[in-house]
């Protein structure tokens, strides 16, 4: 089992744990953090391929830097939306944000 | 197909240790009941991933990971936790069917991914990465990826202004 396969397996494990958190947790902050975990798993794949890919280059690391920047922007906007919703509904439970469904 | 012919090098031991730390942090984060404990154990996972980036010769990415994820995102989430109430922490249980289905789905996805990783043939890399990691990334960012770099700065500004506008208290509306 090469090192690349080990890194990809670890990233798959982290991605699946993050997906489980997104699907089962009710607290919106935990859902956001689980999404960050999934993004981190994707970043790990990019960095692993930048070293162990067929043509090793720094492009994978540059892409992971861009992905991290987007994740930070997403977290900031996500927490802002969450606080605006909390001010309106006084809850962070994602089950209760169902106004569009009713 | 499942031949685990692992060569026990120093890199493998470092990888194994950090991978165990990352997975333990993630699993604990899913299993904790208090929200702050979840955020802190995910910070532990992010630190372990930064260590894995160092093992992968991506020192600059590791530094940015510590700065951005452990420093910014986790602290932002803890701010979000402190600005909202979490009185319903104890009564998380009660949806065993949904949790079982989600667990089965995630395990199936992991099985598919694991099968794909095991059955893919990866070629051996031929050239090593450049030594001076940060210098090379800086040169790449300001030459080849100059336009995406500037676009990302525009996006960060937009996200920053948008976050302020969203979280600002609306005075005139009830």
């Amino acid at each position: 089992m090469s090192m690349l396969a080990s890194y990809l397996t670890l990233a798959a494990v982290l991605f699946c744990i993050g997906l489980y958190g997104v699907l089962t947790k009710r607290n919106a902050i935990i859902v956001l953090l689980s999404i960050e975990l999934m993004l981190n798993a994707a970043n790990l794949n990019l960095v692993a391929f930048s070293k162990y890919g067929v043509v090793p280059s720094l492009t994978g690391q540059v892409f992971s830097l861009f992905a991290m920047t987007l994740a930070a922007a997403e977290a900031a906007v996500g927490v802002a939306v969450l606080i605006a919703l909390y001010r309106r509904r006084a809850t962070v439970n994602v089950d209760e944000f169902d106004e569009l469904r009713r | 197909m499942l031949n685990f012919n692992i060569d026990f090098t120093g890199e493998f031991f470092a990888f194994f240790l950090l991978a165990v730390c990352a997975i333990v942090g993630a699993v604990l984060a899913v299993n904790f009941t208090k929200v702050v404990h979840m955020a802190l154990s995910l910070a532990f996972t992010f630190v372990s991933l930064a260590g894995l980036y160092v093992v992968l010769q991506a020192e600059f990415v590791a530094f940015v990971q510590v700065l951005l994820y452990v420093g910014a995102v986790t602290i932002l989430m803890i701010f979000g936790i402190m600005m909202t109430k979490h009185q319903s922490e104890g009564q998380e249980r009660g949806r065993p069917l949904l949790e079982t289905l989600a667990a089965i789905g995630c395990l199936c996805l992991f099985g598919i991914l694991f099968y794909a990783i095991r059955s893919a043939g990866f070629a051996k890399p031929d050239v090593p990465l450049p030594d001076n990691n940060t210098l090379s990334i800086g040169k790449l960012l300001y030459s080849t990826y100059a336009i995406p770099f500037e676009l990302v700065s525009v996006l960060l500004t937009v996200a920053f202004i948008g976050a302020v506008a969203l979280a600002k208290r609306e005075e005139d509306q009830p």
Side-chain angles (χ1 to χ4, degrees):
Chain A
M1 194 167 178
S2 67
M3 284 307 291
L4 178 59
S6 315
Y7 281 105
L8 295 185
T9 311
L10 172 65
V13 169
L14 290 178
F15 187 88
C16 290
I17 293 173
L19 186 64
Y20 178 77
V22 168
L23 289 177
T24 56
K25 295 296 168 187
R26 283 172 168 168
N27 194 320
I29 291 178
I30 298 307
V31 172
L32 280 176
L33 272 172
S34 302
I35 292 173
E36 298 295 328
L37 188 63
M38 292 162 78
L39 283 166
N40 250 307
N43 276 343
L44 183 63
N45 274 354
L46 287 173
V47 177
F49 271 112
S50 107
K51 185 178 179 193
Y52 291 111
V54 180
V55 184
S57 74
L58 288 175
T59 313
Q61 297 184 20
V62 174
F63 261 84
S64 73
L65 287 176
F66 284 142
M68 279 181 193
T69 322
L70 296 186
E74 173 251 318
V77 175
V79 169
V81 168
L82 193 65
I83 286 174
L85 270 173
Y86 177 75
R87 202 171 281 144
R88 182 65 54 105
R89 304 288 305 272
T91 179
V92 287
N93 194 337
V94 287
D95 287 344
E96 297 179 31
F97 300 145
D98 55 354
E99 282 175 11
L100 284 178
R101 207 169 59 186
R102 282 186 292 185
Chain B
M1 193 176 66
L2 286 169
N3 51 342
F4 288 94
N5 47 352
I6 302 164
D7 42 345
F8 289 97
T9 56
E11 187 193 355
F12 180 78
F13 278 115
F15 165 78
F16 187 75
L17 206 67
L18 289 164
V20 167
C21 285
I23 293 177
V24 163
V27 169
L28 283 182
V30 171
N31 280 325
F32 273 139
T33 49
K34 286 203 167 178
V35 190
V36 181
H37 294 173
M38 291 183 184
L40 287 179
S41 78
L42 270 178
F44 182 64
T45 301
F46 293 155
V47 172
S48 313
L49 280 170
L52 281 172
Y53 293 158
V54 172
V55 175
L56 279 170
Q57 291 180 326
E59 292 89 3
F60 183 67
V61 182
F63 183 70
V64 173
Q65 164 93 4
V66 171
L67 211 69
L68 224 109
Y69 274 104
V70 187
V73 170
T74 311
I75 298 300
L76 192 71
M77 293 298 172
I78 288 177
F79 268 119
I81 290 168
M82 286 178 178
M83 290 174 80
T84 52
K85 269 205 295 270
H86 300 277
Q87 73 277 54
S88 60
E89 275 166 0
Q91 53 206 38
E92 273 279 319
R93 304 274 78 82
R95 296 187 300 176
L97 178 67
L98 176 79
E99 288 184 8
T100 315
L101 283 180
I104 289 172
C106 290
L107 279 178
C108 288
L109 176 66
F110 176 71
I112 293 168
L113 286 174
F114 188 71
Y115 176 74
I117 291 167
R118 294 295 310 180
S119 56
F122 296 115
K124 284 284 173 196
D126 42 0
V127 282
L129 280 175
D131 268 344
N132 204 335
N133 186 275
T134 313
L135 179 72
S136 315
I137 284 182
K139 280 181 180 166
L140 263 183
L141 272 183
Y142 281 107
S143 58
T144 315
Y145 299 101
I147 293 174
F149 185 71
E150 299 299 328
L151 283 179
V152 160
S153 67
V154 172
L155 176 111
L156 274 181
T157 315
V158 169
F160 179 60
I161 296 172
V164 171
L166 274 173
K168 192 168 68 66
R169 190 180 292 274
E170 298 171 14
E171 300 289 351
D172 43 348
Q173 287 184 12

